[in-house]
Amino acid sequence: MKEEIAKIKENSMKEINNCKDEKQLNDLKVKYLGKKGELTAVLRGMGNLTPEERPAIGSFVNQVRDELENLIQKKEKEFKRKELEKKLETENIDITEPSKKVQLGSLHPITQIIDEVEEIFLGMGYEIADGPEVEKAIYNFDKLNTPPDHPARDLQDTFYITEDIVLRSQTSPVQARVMENQKPPIKIICPGTVYRSDSVDATHSPVFHQIEGLVVDKNIAMTDLKGTLEMFAKKCLGENTKIRFRPHHFPFTEPSAEADVSCFVCGGKGCKVCKGEGWIELLGCGMVHPNVLKNCGIDPEEYSGFAFGFGVERIAMAKFGIDDMRLLFENDVRFLKQF
Amino acid sequence: MKASIEWLKEYSDIDVDSVTLGDILTMTGSKVETVDQLGNDIKNVIVGKILEIKKHPDADKLVVTKVDVGNEKLQIVTGANNIKVGDIVPIAKDGSELPGGVKIKTGKLRGIDSCGMMCSIGELNLTLADYPEQIEHGIMILDKKLEKDLGKDITEVLNLKEDIIDFEITSNRPDCLSIEGLGRETAVSLNKPFKNPRKNIDELQVEDKEELEGLKVDIVAPDLCYRYIARMVKNVKIAPSPEWMARRLKACGIRSINNIVDITNYVMLEMGQPMHAFDINSIEGKHITVRRAKNGEKITTLDEQERELDENNLVIADDKKAVAIAGVMGGFNSEIEEDTKTVVFESAVFNGGSVRKTAKKVGLRTESSSRFEKGLSAENALRAANRAVELVELLGAGEAVDGKIDVYPTKQKINKIKLDVSKINSLLGTNLSKQEMIDILQKLDIKVENDIAIVPYFRMDLEFVADIAEEIGRFYGYDKLDSTLVKADTTLGIRNKEQTIQKKVKEVLVNSGFSEIYTYGFVSEKDLELSNIKEEIKKYAITIQNPLSDEYKLMRPTTVPSMMQTLAINANKKNQNVKLFDLSRSYKNVKQEVQKGEVPLQEEMLTVGMYGENVDFYTLKGIIENVLEAIHVNHYEIEKETQNTSYHPGRCANIKVGKDIIATLRRSSSRSFRQLYDFQKSLFSGNEYHKACKICKSK
């Protein structure tokens, strides 16, 4: 009987090893291990054995069955793997074909600059303030030390709605409104739309944007203004940016300065953008004029402050390499999506 | 304001080159626009004498000349036909350079060696206006006297080298619209003494008189004329000005006319005080009155244009007529003529605002008016009058009449400012001693007595401690100021709720494929009409008094027309599938605020617009729902809008929160609009963003 079992083992192993697919394997499983299978038949014949023979033969049969089952399992895994490989091969795709991404829109270049500047000043503890664009002349001019016969009030520079109502020609009226309504310390920036009576060309627009900054507190000095703007210039235009102050004149500040930054295109060596000078005029600034403080209800003996303001379009154009201001307001979607 | 270095040197030693000087003055506040170095582009052009002229063997139109240039004789071939033997001409030798970067080298012309070139005035960048005896096409023929200068550099011989700096002068510094003022700035900037060449004028005493040779002066509008000085010269000989004077005028951009007119301009440039000269014979009644013009009064100015005036304009008049528009331009009727014998010099100071308005009204902004409008010193006026008379005598152009008429109703106030050392240091962030401050101020002619800074007459801009601080800052050096950061209590730098919402809304839209647009707040009547918005809203539009054009006449009461135009622009450019949004303001004069001198309603509106494939009502609805979701407005209803005839009645809806409509979704159906802009499908939504914002904020 032992030889019979060994023969079954030998035959079945050979057949299983040679089998070609899963179906054949299943048939073999039935053939040897099924209820009517050859090995099962052998087990049935165990009754004919002597009690002495039974344990040895029994354990031998079990051993053979385990071996067969293991082999079948191994074979099954092999077939499954092969099948998967085959399937995967048919599912192969070209990963270089175009994607199906969601098309993103874009923020306007002016918004991008304003956002960037806002982040820098928010980080320095400034709030963002806002005010009317159709504004009282008194806020746009009078309170800012620009009396009625000042040239800046000419019809050729400012849009008038009535004698008393204008389209603000600067964001400075926001300063005046904030100073009237808030006690120092004041630290604000006010980005916004402003209007001047300039015809449209490559470098002029009757509508443009400014960002104005104002700090009022005790002991605010011009050195603070310089340090603040230096910090701003480095964050906005690059760590190597240098700043220089030139004396200038504005009605609402005294002392006043114009601030130039080292050209962020050529680094100060001189190029087309800075017209060979190495410096780019960035903004006007100064210490808030005592008359302005007084006009807005702040005692110039107790408090001092600084203010600065610059045009957003100029920076956007220089930073993004835009050579015609009109493009910013034409809103051709192909242009907008470049930024 | 242009200034030649040569003239500035009368006031200060200048030991740096012009470009460096420009840089230094820019940093002390006199911003330099340009530095012109005339004649610097002419190199190695010398004086030569033509010794012989022979025909060129191979060319009919060329001649071969021999030229004596002092130490050698050169053979030069030329095509010019205005030369003859013995002529003195400019010679560009081998290796020379001409304006425009032209380099001249020895070469062959039709086989004959030519060792240089004879120059025309054009080639030397000179003009017929300056050398009227020359011809345009031909060689420049120099004065025979220059025979002694053979071989010498032409720029030296003709005095062609001149450095001119053009300054941008700020409106608070009319004193720097003069060489004297700029000379003072130069001296202080270079730390040199200010050489005052007009000391004699400053010390001169001229007797006051009621009448000068029968001439009388009255000011009947003292609110507009602060001082009027008349001085007189007789036995005048009108002639051209000497070369030095014409040259200085030219450097400052003024054409030389004759000695008397040139003197008025020269004094203006030198001292910053505009002058006027009348022929006494044109003053009827020998009586000058400074008065307001009559409404509709006419005057023909020196440029032979007739101008109409009104009672806001000031004139200088005789007993019958206006002879000048005060501070702007003289009258044609009192012009200095060839036969003028007696001249009245006017040196007056007028109200700046009045001159500015008058100049604007008559459309004449002159060298004179642009100075007066900034407010001039009445004290300086006397110096100018005396200087003009001095120049007449210096030029031998006439004889001074003793005495002056000086009507001076409003004496110039001399400002006195406390020298508050600690305030100045705290404003500038410096730590300067009182003495350091006094040292700077004294250089600027600001005397300090008992801690009071006494401002000189020519610095009317200095009124407050802050002004003194600026002067000290300028000459201490803005570049020497430290960079510090504000030392104060910590403040919170955060966006408020509204600003945060705005950021979120933009983010959602950009992530959904929409591009942000920036549009003008203007709208034309036509476009407002085309946009078919409700009549009541159209009425809220605000009219600009002085618009640039009809296109920009109104302030838009809604941003919808701006979006429609932008969609149209993109459609015209054949852009496919366009998705845009606009978050900006509308301006509504709802309750006649503007007429009451109040600020009108200005609300933020979000407008979303799109056209293209796969875009329908539900796309729009989806994006608006996304926006509302992002700002946590979750409870809203959508209702069909059928009342608004502007849009497709079957495809228009309102989004409502309670009773408030916070958004309107619509498809454009306006036929006229579509025809005009020629595109078929567009959708947009005008959203009452501010209302949504309010709801969001209240949560």
Side-chain angles (χ1 to χ4, degrees):
Chain A
M1 190 152 190
K2 202 170 176 184
E3 286 103 64
E4 198 182 338
I5 295 167
K7 186 122 192 242
I8 291 172
K9 182 187 168 186
E10 193 188 331
N11 284 341
S12 62
M13 292 272 222
K14 203 169 161 191
E15 276 186 74
I16 291 168
N17 272 327
N18 287 335
C19 99
K20 290 278 183 294
D21 56 32
E22 229 178 336
K23 190 176 171 292
Q24 217 179 347
L25 187 68
N26 252 328
D27 291 348
L28 289 172
K29 197 174 169 184
V30 174
K31 183 177 169 193
Y32 292 104
L33 298 175
K35 275 182 191 164
K36 291 173 184 171
E38 289 182 23
L39 204 61
T40 321
V42 173
L43 275 171
R44 282 208 188 103
M46 291 267 285
N48 300 330
L49 295 176
T50 64
E52 292 79 31
E53 283 173 317
R54 263 182 221 164
I57 295 294
S59 94
F60 184 54
V61 172
N62 281 334
Q63 186 201 327
V64 170
R65 194 173 55 191
D66 284 351
E67 274 180 47
L68 282 182
E69 275 177 352
N70 278 340
L71 184 66
I72 288 169
Q73 235 173 45
K74 199 180 130 202
K75 242 351 211 191
E76 268 178 348
K77 272 189 188 161
E78 196 184 307
F79 284 134
K80 283 249 161 71
R81 205 190 69 232
K82 277 191 178 154
E83 195 184 356
L84 185 68
E85 271 172 13
K86 216 168 148 188
K87 194 178 165 213
L88 288 178
E89 205 161 309
T90 62
E91 284 174 2
N92 195 15
I93 58 158
D94 178 3
I95 53 145
T96 62
E97 277 187 21
S99 67
K100 295 178 186 170
K101 69 173 176 189
V102 177
Q103 281 286 328
L104 288 180
S106 54
L107 284 176
H108 195 280
I110 294 173
T111 298
Q112 291 186 37
I113 298 291
I114 292 177
D115 278 355
E116 196 182 335
V117 174
E118 282 180 356
E119 293 304 329
I120 294 168
F121 283 98
L122 285 168
M124 290 196 268
Y126 287 64
E127 285 182 88
I128 303 167
D130 196 3
E133 289 168 27
V134 184
E135 178 61 289
K136 294 183 185 182
I138 196 170
Y139 282 106
N140 197 57
F141 295 125
D142 301 62
K143 284 185 192 276
L144 301 173
N145 204 29
T146 313
D149 62 358
H150 196 277
R153 301 183 69 146
D154 275 353
L155 279 165
Q156 67 188 42
D157 298 317
T158 306
F159 290 116
Y160 280 82
I161 305 297
T162 66
E163 204 177 317
D164 303 322
I165 302 288
V166 299
L167 301 186
R168 69 175 176 198
S169 59
Q170 49 198 357
T171 39
S172 315
V174 182
Q175 283 186 24
R177 285 178 176 274
V178 170
M179 280 193 275
E180 273 190 350
N181 292 313
Q182 195 181 321
K183 282 221 143 49
I186 294 170
K187 274 166 89 178
I188 53 159
I189 56 162
C190 8
T193 311
V194 300
Y195 299 82
R196 285 192 201 163
S197 191
D198 283 324
S199 293
V200 180
D201 65 28
T203 53
H204 292 90
S205 164
V207 180
F208 60 100
H209 298 80
Q210 274 189 340
I211 299 178
E212 187 107 358
L214 172 75
V215 172
V216 181
D217 202 349
K218 286 179 179 158
N219 299 316
I220 299 296
M222 198 152 179
T223 46
D224 298 331
L225 170 62
K226 203 172 170 187
T228 302
L229 291 177
E230 202 166 276
M231 171 86 92
F232 160 65
K234 281 183 192 298
K235 296 292 168 213
C236 185
L237 305 170
E239 283 299 325
N240 296 324
T241 307
K242 284 190 267 303
I243 194 159
R244 82 171 183 190
F245 270 25
R246 275 183 290 106
H248 201 75
H249 171 71
F250 303 105
F252 27 85
T253 49
E254 188 74 32
S256 304
E258 259 182 343
D260 300 335
V261 286
S262 53
C263 178
F264 44 87
V265 175
C266 65
K269 285 185 219 107
C271 68
K272 229 172 95 182
V273 173
C274 60
K275 293 180 196 117
E277 286 179 20
W279 294 96
I280 293 177
E281 199 178 302
L282 182 72
L283 51 75
C285 59
M287 303 306 292
V288 181
H289 197 287
N291 281 351
V292 174
L293 291 172
K294 223 183 292 168
N295 292 342
C296 299
I298 292 175
D299 181 3
E301 293 298 318
E302 193 179 352
Y303 293 102
S304 57
F306 66 69
F308 57 87
F310 56 88
V312 180
E313 278 78 359
R314 279 189 53 164
I315 296 192
M317 288 168 77
K319 260 193 110 161
F320 294 125
I322 300 165
D323 57 5
D324 192 328
M325 200 158 164
R326 286 168 289 206
L327 292 169
L328 289 169
F329 297 100
E330 185 183 39
N331 299 305
D332 185 324
V333 77
R334 292 167 298 178
F335 170 81
L336 295 175
K337 286 205 169 177
Q338 290 174 40
F339 305 102
Chain B
M1 171 80 195
K2 284 183 174 177
S4 64
I5 299 294
E6 169 268 324
W7 201 350
L8 284 175
K9 280 183 175 166
E10 255 192 59
Y11 297 88
S12 168
D13 286 336
I14 296 173
D15 52 7
V16 292
D17 66 76
S18 305
V19 174
T20 309
L21 178 65
D23 290 343
I24 292 171
L25 286 169
T26 293
M27 291 311 287
T28 57
S30 308
K31 195 187 176 203
V32 170
E33 296 270 329
T34 53
V35 178
D36 262 347
Q37 295 182 293
L38 301 180
N40 252 13
D41 46 4
I42 302 174
K43 292 197 180 103
N44 220 2
V45 177
I46 53 173
V47 179
K49 182 184 173 186
I50 300 174
L51 297 178
E52 66 173 49
I53 303 177
K54 283 185 183 161
K55 289 198 80 171
H56 191 290
D58 279 333
D60 289 345
K61 292 192 172 162
L62 295 178
V63 291
V64 182
T65 67
K66 196 160 276 175
V67 181
D68 181 358
V69 290
N71 53 357
E72 58 181 325
K73 296 187 174 51
L74 301 173
Q75 175 171 289
I76 291 176
V77 180
T78 177
N81 50 20
N82 69 320
I83 49 168
K84 58 184 189 301
V85 172
D87 277 349
I88 312 292
V89 293
I91 302 291
K93 283 208 298 187
D94 179 57
S96 61
E97 269 182 58
L98 297 177
V102 181
K103 291 195 168 88
I104 304 298
K105 287 200 179 96
T106 295
K108 278 189 197 309
L109 277 174
R110 287 278 179 111
I112 303 282
D113 283 337
S114 181
C115 311
M117 184 181 97
M118 298 180 199
C119 303
S120 68
I121 56 167
E123 280 155 347
L124 295 174
N125 207 13
L126 306 174
T127 61
L128 276 180
D130 295 316
Y131 296 91
E133 71 285 1
Q134 299 294 335
I135 57 169
E136 199 169 347
H137 302 285
I139 303 302
M140 182 178 194
I141 309 295
L142 300 169
D143 195 323
K144 279 273 185 284
K145 279 186 246 163
L146 296 181
E147 189 162 355
K148 63 181 192 322
D149 294 322
L150 295 187
K152 279 200 182 162
D153 198 294
I154 193 83
T155 58
E156 270 171 47
V157 171
L158 294 181
N159 205 4
L160 297 179
K161 287 210 177 180
E162 174 124 65
D163 287 12
I164 297 167
I165 300 186
D166 193 359
F167 294 93
E168 177 201 329
I169 302 298
T170 52
S171 61
N172 60 327
R173 293 300 302 275
D175 62 303
C176 282
L177 294 173
S178 72
I179 303 294
E180 199 171 65
L182 289 169
R184 191 176 281 107
E185 289 287 322
T186 303
V188 185
S189 301
L190 295 177
N191 207 10
K192 307 270 182 202
F194 175 65
K195 302 190 274 189
N196 183 3
R198 298 288 89 78
K199 224 174 178 149
N200 60 327
I201 294 291
D202 291 339
E203 288 161 2
L204 186 69
Q205 297 288 330
V206 180
E207 194 191 341
D208 271 332
K209 293 196 167 169
E210 287 295 311
E211 281 185 26
L212 277 185
E213 310 260 308
L215 178 79
K216 280 191 289 188
V217 175
D218 278 311
I219 300 176
V220 298
D223 54 330
L224 299 183
C225 179
Y226 305 140
R227 189 176 197 179
Y228 193 106
I229 299 160
R231 286 215 59 186
M232 198 180 279
V233 286
K234 58 188 182 186
N235 298 327
V236 168
K237 292 180 282 289
I238 300 292
S241 296
E243 203 236 319
W244 62 267
M245 183 177 272
R247 185 182 174 86
R248 284 182 169 182
L249 291 176
K250 187 183 167 222
C252 295
I254 291 182
R255 197 163 49 94
S256 168
I257 294 169
N258 61 45
N259 48 7
I260 297 296
V261 173
D262 286 359
I263 283 169
T264 61
N265 285 326
Y266 186 88
V267 172
M268 175 180 73
L269 292 172
E270 183 179 89
M271 295 182 160
Q273 167 67 40
M275 304 275 300
H276 191 57
F278 301 105
D279 185 331
I280 187 78
N281 288 332
S282 61
I283 312 287
E284 287 189 65
K286 287 205 172 182
H287 183 204
I288 290 173
T289 308
V290 185
R291 61 161 168 86
R292 286 181 155 77
K294 297 172 196 117
N295 278 329
E297 184 169 357
K298 292 193 173 108
I299 180 171
T300 301
T301 41
L302 280 172
D303 54 1
E304 297 182 46
Q305 300 279 317
E306 190 181 72
R307 323 241 170 212
E308 191 175 319
L309 305 172
D310 64 37
E311 61 187 5
N312 293 317
N313 310 134
L314 193 69
V315 294
I316 313 301
D318 62 17
D319 282 347
K320 294 239 168 91
K321 61 188 186 297
V323 294
I325 306 177
V328 180
M329 195 180 263
F332 188 60
N333 52 23
S334 56
E335 196 185 19
I336 301 297
E337 308 265 9
E338 288 296 312
D339 57 354
T340 295
K341 285 288 165 244
T342 303
V343 168
V344 181
F345 282 114
E346 163 197 300
S347 182
V349 175
F350 307 109
N351 174 289
S354 158
V355 171
R356 191 172 63 81
K357 282 183 198 140
T358 303
K360 277 202 66 164
K361 182 191 152 61
V362 298
L364 262 179
R365 193 161 187 271
T366 57
E367 289 273 351
S368 166
S369 75
S370 62
R371 284 179 172 79
F372 277 123
E373 69 179 31
K374 294 178 180 77
L376 295 182
S377 157
E379 291 298 313
N380 196 35
L382 177 61
R383 303 173 68 239
N386 292 337
R387 173 66 170 155
V389 173
E390 181 189 54
L391 283 167
V392 168
E393 295 195 306
L394 187 74
L395 266 53
E399 292 164 31
V401 173
D402 282 344
K404 64 173 192 289
I405 298 177
D406 185 359
V407 190
Y408 194 180
T410 318
K411 206 154 164 52
Q412 183 187 331
K413 196 177 137 238
I414 294 299
N415 289 330
K416 294 181 179 173
I417 304 162
K418 185 164 179 267
L419 185 71
D420 186 337
V421 174
S422 76
K423 179 84 188 170
I424 292 168
N425 273 325
S426 86
L427 261 181
L428 292 172
T430 49
N431 195 14
L432 297 170
S433 69
K434 194 206 273 184
Q435 195 52 47
E436 283 172 295
M437 293 186 184
I438 291 174
D439 288 346
I440 290 173
L441 295 175
Q442 264 169 353
K443 286 183 205 164
L444 289 161
D445 267 355
I446 301 168
K447 284 198 192 74
V448 180
E449 287 171 9
N450 303 322
D451 293 347
I452 301 288
I454 302 162
V455 177
Y457 68 88
F458 52 85
R459 289 301 304 274
M460 296 168 77
D461 58 307
L462 304 178
E463 294 178 74
F464 302 95
V465 179
D467 298 319
I468 296 295
E470 180 171 271
E471 293 310 291
I472 289 166
R474 282 201 304 138
F475 290 103
Y476 167 70
Y478 274 18
D479 54 335
K480 281 193 223 145
L481 293 179
D482 289 336
S483 292
T484 55
L485 285 178
V486 176
K487 289 170 283 295
D489 293 342
T490 308
T491 46
L492 201 54
I494 52 167
R495 289 197 160 81
N496 65 25
K497 197 132 190 203
E498 215 168 298
Q499 290 154 358
T500 312
I501 294 170
Q502 193 183 80
K503 268 216 119 172
K504 245 187 208 169
V505 167
K506 288 189 177 183
E507 201 177 299
V508 172
L509 287 162
V510 167
N511 289 342
S512 312
F514 287 79
S515 291
E516 187 187 17
I517 61 171
Y518 267 61
T519 53
Y520 287 177
F522 307 130
V523 66
S524 67
E525 281 168 343
K526 189 188 87 188
D527 284 327
L528 191 60
E529 201 54 46
L530 277 176
S531 70
N532 262 345
I533 53 164
K534 288 182 192 157
E535 284 304 320
E536 62 182 272
I537 293 182
K538 280 184 202 166
K539 279 187 206 136
Y540 295 155
I542 298 163
T543 309
I544 298 167
Q545 255 185 36
N546 54 332
L548 280 179
S549 66
D550 281 349
E551 201 186 342
Y552 299 150
K553 196 173 169 187
L554 304 174
M555 293 305 284
R556 61 185 180 199
T558 160
T559 58
V560 171
S562 310
M563 176 56 78
M564 290 167 90
Q565 278 164 22
T566 309
L567 288 173
I569 287 168
N570 277 283
N572 287 341
K573 295 194 169 222
K574 308 267 183 277
N575 289 334
Q576 313 284 326
N577 301 322
V578 170
K579 291 177 170 178
L580 304 173
F581 75 95
D582 178 18
L583 214 175
S584 58
R585 288 187 196 183
S586 62
Y587 316 87
K588 292 182 204 162
N589 193 26
V590 178
K591 293 176 183 154
Q592 301 290 300
E593 290 93 346
V594 162
Q595 286 73 12
K596 294 174 200 150
E598 293 297 324
V599 165
L601 194 60
Q602 301 171 52
E603 292 170 329
E604 296 272 350
M605 272 181 92
L606 172 66
T607 320
V608 173
M610 58 187 141
Y611 66 80
E613 288 158 30
N614 305 321
V615 165
D616 61 17
F617 178 84
Y618 303 101
T619 322
L620 180 62
K621 184 175 162 185
I623 190 64
I624 298 305
E625 284 181 341
N626 276 350
V627 168
L628 293 174
E629 197 180 313
I631 60 173
H632 309 298
V633 177
N634 298 319
H635 301 286
Y636 51 85
E637 284 159 42
I638 300 193
E639 253 178 25
K640 209 158 193 174
E641 161 72 67
T642 48
Q643 301 304 307
N644 193 332
T645 53
S646 324
Y647 302 99
H648 193 304
R651 296 184 183 180
C652 189
N654 287 327
I655 297 185
K656 287 173 95 173
V657 174
K659 282 182 184 168
D660 277 338
I661 296 174
I662 60 164
T664 303
L665 316 179
R666 52 214 168 189
R667 166 153 180 211
S668 159
S669 79
S670 159
R671 195 176 288 164
S672 54
F673 173 75
R674 275 208 240 152
Q675 274 172 357
L676 187 76
Y677 294 123
D678 186 34
F679 62 95
Q680 288 303 307
K681 210 174 181 187
S682 71
L683 287 152
F684 35 84
S685 126
N687 292 287
E688 304 301 307
Y689 168 81
H690 57 102
K691 286 187 192 160
C693 215
K694 224 180 269 168
I695 292 159
C696 171
K697 264 163 75 182
S698 66
K699 291 190 134 194

